[in-house]
Amino acid sequence: MNDLGKQLERLQKVIARSGIASRRHAEKLIIDGLVKVNGQVVTELGTKVKDTDLIEVEGRKIFPSEKKRFVYYLLNKPEGVITSASDPERRMTVIDLVRSKVKERIFPVGRLDFDTRGLLLLTNDGELTYRLTHPSYQVEKTYRVILNGFISDQALNKLKDGLILKDGLTSPAKILQVKRIKKGDCLSIVEITIHEGKNRQVRRMFEAVGYPIFYLERIAFGPLRIDNKLKPGEFRPLNTAEVKALKREVGLV
Ligand code: URA
């Protein structure tokens, strides 16, 4: 078969599909001159490759035709664990939690802070990760927040309207539930949905309206909810319907 009969695909897409990097990271690797096609460094985004081309990313070889087995896991992240594949300070990572049972090289989809618990997806599917975390897809994330005192309606309205943080305006949040509880101390439990992913966004939003939070848990990510059968630190594979729902959310099926 000559080259015309072969399917050409964008270099960054092939790299993302291989699971080596998200599409955004693949673009950066290309621009930084860390990608070779058939032995030549390629720095142009959108370069097309064919099935038989040999791609090397920082020395790791990929063939575009390589059929990768994608795996998808839902972890109930505990507090005190970092969302990263490795940590220079040698703190426990989310990958350490799954390493003994998962042989594929997987990555977290987005991040939760060291002190945040709850639903975290892990996968080697670079394209799905790219779409689930890119702001343009506006994937909704819901958090359960606990704070001291009874939160005022005025503060809740500010969260709903959107507010100014040091790195810009937040989009309007949805407040799904508010419980004000008096058990000795006064506490409020709030369920809030946002679709952005600024650093420590939920904590900073509540601080900005005068209510620092002491407990933060992600209870939903797009169409998926936290699995109450999983104790903190436990994980399970997603089933086919869950993977399909995630892909549907970002236009992949
Ligand atoms: N917002 C935060 O403040 N922290 C998280 O971990 C996630 C969202």
Side-chain angles (χ1 to χ4, degrees), residues 150 180-187 189:
F150 287 164
R180 297 177 176 98
I181 298 170
K182 176 136 182 56
K183 260 195 196 159
D185 294 335
C186 297
L187 295 178
I189 305 178

Side-chain angles (χ1 to χ4, degrees), residues 111-113 116 143 200-204 216:
R111 62 186 296 277
L112 291 177
D113 301 333
T116 304
Y143 297 87
R200 297 178 75 81
Q201 181 164 341
V202 175
R203 291 176 197 277
R204 289 191 295 132
L216 180 58

Side-chain angles (χ1 to χ4, degrees), residues 144-208:
R144 180 174 296 131
V145 164
I146 310 184
L147 49 91
N148 282 315
F150 287 164
I151 191 164
S152 67
D153 288 340
Q154 195 192 17
L156 292 170
N157 286 335
K158 283 190 197 159
L159 296 167
K160 280 194 230 168
D161 290 345
L163 43 87
I164 299 171
L165 298 178
K166 69 175 187 313
D167 47 357
L169 192 66
T170 64
S171 297
K174 293 182 193 161
I175 303 293
L176 304 186
Q177 209 179 85
V178 183
K179 284 189 192 149
R180 297 177 176 98
I181 298 170
K182 176 136 182 56
K183 260 195 196 159
D185 294 335
C186 297
L187 295 178
S188 302
I189 305 178
V190 181
E191 287 185 10
I192 181 169
T193 301
I194 59 170
H195 61 70
E196 298 154 304
K198 296 182 199 292
N199 190 30
R200 297 178 75 81
Q201 181 164 341
V202 175
R203 291 176 197 277
R204 289 191 295 132
M205 285 168 68
F206 278 83
E207 270 159 29

Side-chain angles (χ1 to χ4, degrees), residues 3 36 46 56 65 70 74 76 80 91 118 139 141 149 167 210:
D3 284 359
K36 287 184 186 169
E56 287 170 83
S65 58
F70 288 131
L74 189 160
N76 184 0
R91 289 170 299 178
V139 175
K141 281 123 345 200
D167 47 357

Side-chain angles (χ1 to χ4, degrees), residues 19-21 60 85 95 105-109 121-125 129:
I20 285 187
R60 285 187 58 192
I95 302 300
R105 193 153 171 257
I106 55 174
F107 302 92
V109 177
L121 298 173
L122 300 162
T123 181
N124 54 356
D125 184 338
T129 300

